[in-house]
């Protein structure tokens, strides 16, 4: 087995890895079929994270794509959540301190500017940073009892992609220990994650749209009721709607502060996606960026033929054995003028991805057939 996240000089342990992959996927399938608690699966995943077995985790998720009963989603979600979450035993002289939990979260932000963001700039305005940091608890994104750390760096998508499951888990543990220390200690795993932006720099007059991520950590009691989702469906819906409303209000408050931290002295515009655990936020940002690039490609095809969006229709079909949504774009005469694919992790994602693509094409005036 091979994996793009693993260095070429990694030890040759294919036989052991294959056995570990099979054991992990079998356990995930059993949990998915029996609808049983995933505690045992979480335990096994945490073992691989601590041993830095990224090859096993990534290969197991790849193998699970072909398995039944939602095994892929269950295993991927378990690995992503476990890598971003660490439980800490309470510490007190009497031994009765509550169990604590620390999570790594991220916020995807699209930044529109003239000239683009500069790697050497950012987070220089300390009062703005302190106000932003305080707002996470003061404005209800996190519990009032939580301690929040916000990394003073704008991550680009390439940097996020280079952080593997075990890398993130190591960073979370490093930050957790640092929050317990009175003196600032080196955090080599966190420092390595700020590996530099990819892509060409913009000229001073270029109009730029860039995807960046805020990375933060929230330490709180594991039983904090602020994070407990109500059992009833109606109350759960209300809970998430209230969280979303608080987030919308927070973005209004945060945007001018973030502008001061991202591009001092320059006018910029920001569009926020929702705060989520690390890998969920990364996926949100990557999906939105893909759709923006796809729409740019569609516009180019239309402009080349002198057409507006209302002059075209699109049929959405399954492609690549169900692992992609394909938009077949046609002009008013029915001639095929372009095909555009959105890859899927598993065929079961088709309906959701097709709906997203339909909405995106409709923004250009293109009707679905």
């Amino acid at each position: 087995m091979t994996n793009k996240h693993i260095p070429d000089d990694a030890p040759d342990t294919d036989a052991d890895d294959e056995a570990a992959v099979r054991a992990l996927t079998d356990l995930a399938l059993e949990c998915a079929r029996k609808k049983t608690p995933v505690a045992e699966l979480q335990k096994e995943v945490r073992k691989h994270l601590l041993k830095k077995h990224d090859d096993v985790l990534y290969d197991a998720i790849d193998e699970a794509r072909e398995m039944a009963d939602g095994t892929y989603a269950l295993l991927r979600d378990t690995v992503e959540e476990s890598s971003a979450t660490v439980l800490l035993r309470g510490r007190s002289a009497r031994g009765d301190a509550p169990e604590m939990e620390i999570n790594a979260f991220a916020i995807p932000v699209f930044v529109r500017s003239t000239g683009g963001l500069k790697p050497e700039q950012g987070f220089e305005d300390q009062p703005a940073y302190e106000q932003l940091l305080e707002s996470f608890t003061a404005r209800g994104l996190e519990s009032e009892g939580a301690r929040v750390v916000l990394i003073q760096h704008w991550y680009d998508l390439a940097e996020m992609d280079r952080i593997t499951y075990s890398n993130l888990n190591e960073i979370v543990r490093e930050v957790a220990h640092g929050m317990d220390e009175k003196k600032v200690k080196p955090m080599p795993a966190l420092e390595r994650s700020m590996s530099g932006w990819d892509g060409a720099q913009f000229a001073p007059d270029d109009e730029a749209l860039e995807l960046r991520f805020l990375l933060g950590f929230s330490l709180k009691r594991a039983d904090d009721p602020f994070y407990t989702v109500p059992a009833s469906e109606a109350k759960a819906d209300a809970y998430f709607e209230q969280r979303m409303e608080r987030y919308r209000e927070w973005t209004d408050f945060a945007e001018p502060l973030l502008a001061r931290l991202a591009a001092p002295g320059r006018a910029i515009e920001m569009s926020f996606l929702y705060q989520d655990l690390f890998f969920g936020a990364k996926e949100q940002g990557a999906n939105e960026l893909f759709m923006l690039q796809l729409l740019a490609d569609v516009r180019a095809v239309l402009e080349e033929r002198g057409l507006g969006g209302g002059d075209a229709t699109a049929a959405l079909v399954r492609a690549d054995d169900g692992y992609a949504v394909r938009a077949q774009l046609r002009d008013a005469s029915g001639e095929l003028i372009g095909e555009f694919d959105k890859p899927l992790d598993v065929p079961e994602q088709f309906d959701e991805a097709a709906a997203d693509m339909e909405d995106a094409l409709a923004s250009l005036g293109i009707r679905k057939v």
Side-chain angles (χ1 to χ4, degrees):
M1 299 182 195
T2 60
N3 192 284
K4 64 180 179 180
H5 296 271
I6 307 305
D8 293 336
D9 58 355
D12 184 9
T13 57
D14 280 354
D16 290 343
D17 285 356
E18 288 181 8
V21 166
R22 176 53 54 196
L24 199 55
T25 53
D26 285 348
L27 179 57
L29 177 62
E30 180 182 358
C31 290
R33 281 182 169 169
K34 294 183 178 179
K35 311 296 183 185
T36 55
V38 296
E40 188 62 30
L41 180 61
Q42 291 171 330
K43 180 180 177 181
E44 289 303 308
V45 167
R46 285 196 292 268
K47 287 181 182 178
H48 290 299
L49 288 170
L50 288 172
K51 294 178 181 179
K52 304 186 187 305
H53 288 172
D54 276 319
D55 48 355
V56 171
L57 296 171
Y58 282 101
D59 285 340
I61 291 172
D62 285 341
E63 292 284 340
R65 293 179 199 277
E66 306 295 333
M67 301 176 74
D69 300 313
T71 304
Y72 167 79
L74 175 64
L75 180 56
R76 186 196 62 178
D77 291 350
T78 301
V79 172
E80 291 184 355
E81 183 173 352
S82 297
S83 63
T85 305
V86 172
L87 292 174
L88 307 168
R89 292 183 178 179
R91 302 172 184 173
S92 76
R94 300 190 302 273
D96 58 352
E99 186 176 51
M100 304 296 288
E101 177 180 295
I102 183 170
N103 305 112
F105 67 83
I107 296 175
V109 186
F110 282 90
V111 184
R112 188 181 300 276
S113 68
T114 301
L117 301 180
K118 309 301 179 187
E120 67 276 8
Q121 291 183 334
F123 292 94
E124 299 167 357
D125 189 328
Q126 193 62 26
Y129 172 76
E130 291 174 359
Q131 289 180 61
L132 182 69
L133 183 61
E134 181 185 5
S135 71
F136 280 89
T137 51
R139 293 182 173 263
L141 268 62
E142 299 288 340
S143 166
E144 290 184 355
R147 293 171 59 194
V148 178
V149 170
L150 185 67
I151 304 307
Q152 299 186 53
H153 175 72
W154 287 100
Y155 284 80
D156 78 349
L157 183 56
E159 287 177 307
M160 298 285 281
D161 276 338
R162 287 191 282 267
I163 299 174
T164 67
Y165 295 133
S166 68
N167 290 158
L168 180 63
N169 196 251
E170 182 180 11
I171 291 169
V172 176
R173 294 178 183 279
E174 201 172 68
V175 172
H177 292 148
M179 291 171 79
D180 275 348
E181 298 290 336
K182 294 182 179 179
K183 294 183 179 179
V184 177
K185 297 183 66 175
M187 296 188 182
L190 178 61
E191 291 167 7
R192 286 194 301 269
S193 73
M194 297 176 240
S195 51
W197 297 352
D198 280 8
Q201 297 297 305
F202 293 94
D205 295 331
D206 287 345
E207 293 299 315
L209 178 64
E210 300 171 273
L211 172 62
R212 293 293 182 265
F213 296 85
L214 290 169
L215 175 61
F217 302 85
S218 175
L219 176 67
K220 59 267 190 177
R221 287 178 58 132
D223 61 355
D224 190 325
F226 179 88
Y227 302 95
T228 303
V229 180
S232 80
E233 184 175 350
K235 290 182 178 180
D237 288 345
Y239 170 85
F240 286 114
E241 181 55 39
Q242 289 166 7
R243 284 186 58 177
M244 179 61 78
E245 184 57 33
R246 291 198 299 269
Y247 186 71
R248 292 191 190 101
E249 293 173 355
W250 177 84
T251 61
D252 291 338
F253 172 82
E255 183 172 3
L257 297 175
L258 285 168
R260 288 161 57 183
L261 296 171
R266 291 193 290 137
I268 63 174
E269 296 178 5
M270 294 186 171
S271 298
F272 296 80
L273 301 183
Y274 193 60
Q275 175 189 5
D276 201 352
L277 291 181
F278 180 92
F279 287 103
K282 186 184 81 167
E283 184 175 10
Q284 278 191 78
N287 284 341
E288 185 70 13
L289 182 63
F290 178 89
M291 294 304 293
L292 291 173
Q293 292 170 336
L294 182 143
L295 289 179
D297 292 340
V298 172
R299 284 193 192 95
V301 168
L302 294 174
E303 289 173 2
E304 183 180 349
R305 292 177 174 259
L307 301 175
D311 300 320
T313 58
L316 303 181
V317 300
R318 292 183 184 269
D320 297 335
D321 297 326
Y323 281 87
V325 179
R326 175 168 296 163
Q328 297 176 327
L329 195 65
R330 298 181 184 275
D331 63 15
S333 71
E335 179 186 353
L336 183 67
I337 59 175
E339 293 186 318
F340 307 89
D341 285 2
K342 176 174 174 52
L344 306 175
D345 286 338
V346 290
E348 290 78 9
Q349 295 175 338
F350 179 87
D351 289 342
E352 181 180 356
D356 289 343
M357 186 175 285
E358 180 182 349
D359 289 344
L361 294 172
S363 71
L364 299 182
I366 299 171
R367 294 179 294 106
K368 185 187 76 167
V369 175

